[in-house]
Amino acid sequence: GGESYNSNNTEEVLNSYSDVTRGLQDFTSKHSILQANPVTNPGVGLTYDKVHSSVNTAVAELTPLFRTKFPSAVLNIESAFRDKKLNADAGGHEHSGHLKGMAIDISNVTNLTGNRHADLREVYDFLMSDAMKDWREKHNISLVDEIKSKNHIHIGFGGEL
C-alpha cells in the first residue's frame, strides 16, 4: 500500500524528507517521458517544484509502461509543489497534494497528435486502464480528470489528492 503524508506545516513536511527533488527542471530532467512546461498558467507564477522522492520512484516505474503505449510522447508538467499562496492563486484545493510535493499536473502531451484535449484524454484513459492498475495501486495514485475544466490531468501520489 502507499504511504500517506499528513501535516499542516508544509515546510516542516518538505524539510523532513530525506530526498526532495528541487526545481521543475531537475525533476523533469530525471525522466525521459517528462518535460517542464511552467508557462501554461500566465499570471499564476511558477511553482516551486519540490517533489517527494516517492514521486520520482513512481514516475521512473511509469516510464517503461508509458513507452509501450506512447513510444515518443512526452508529458508536459506545469505544476508540482506549491506553497499555500501559490496553491490558492492556482485555485488548488486547500488540502492539495501539491502542498506536500505529492502531486503533479500534466498540461499537454508532446509528440502525439497535437490536439491538446484529445492527447490528454488518451493519456488519462491509459493511466486509468487495467494495464496500469498495479502501478496505480502500488503508488496509491489518484487521478483527477481536469482536462475540460483546467486543461490538465492532476495526479496525486501516496494517497494525496
Side-chain angles (χ1 to χ4, degrees), residues 4-154:
S4 184
Y5 302 90
N6 297 312
S7 173
N8 293 325
N9 186 330
T10 302
E11 287 304 317
E12 179 184 305
V13 170
L14 287 169
N15 291 334
S16 72
Y17 294 159
S18 60
D19 177 14
V20 175
T21 304
R22 297 178 186 279
L24 189 57
Q25 290 293 153
D26 289 343
F27 167 54
T28 57
S29 68
K30 289 178 177 12
H31 307 286
S32 63
I33 63 170
L34 302 182
Q35 71 182 20
N37 188 30
V39 266
T40 51
N41 285 328
V44 172
L46 302 183
T47 170
Y48 297 99
D49 303 302
K50 299 172 183 177
V51 180
H52 188 271
S53 59
S54 63
V55 174
N56 280 312
T57 301
V59 173
E61 292 178 14
L62 170 63
T63 300
L65 303 167
F66 185 81
R67 280 284 165 252
T68 62
K69 173 78 173 171
F70 306 104
S72 61
V74 178
L75 303 174
N76 296 271
I77 307 301
E78 70 179 359
S79 187
F81 170 75
R82 303 176 188 147
D83 65 13
K84 287 181 182 177
K85 181 184 184 318
L86 184 58
N87 192 58
D89 289 348
H93 189 276
E94 67 175 314
H95 301 294
S96 171
H98 287 290
L99 294 166
K100 300 173 186 176
M102 294 292 289
I104 61 175
D105 293 332
I106 302 169
S107 61
N108 204 349
V109 185
T110 305
N111 299 332
L112 212 48
T113 71
N115 179 320
R116 182 178 186 181
H117 282 192
D119 291 349
L120 286 171
R121 171 69 47 218
E122 191 169 348
V123 167
Y124 179 84
D125 290 346
F126 169 71
L127 293 173
M128 289 297 291
S129 70
D130 287 345
M132 296 303 297
K133 183 179 179 187
D134 289 346
W135 177 80
R136 288 193 314 272
E137 289 180 355
K138 178 178 181 182
H139 298 288
N140 204 353
I141 299 294
S142 59
L143 285 157
V144 183
D145 175 352
E146 296 180 325
I147 296 169
K148 289 186 178 176
S149 61
K150 296 185 179 179
N151 293 307
H152 67 235
I153 299 166
H154 174 89

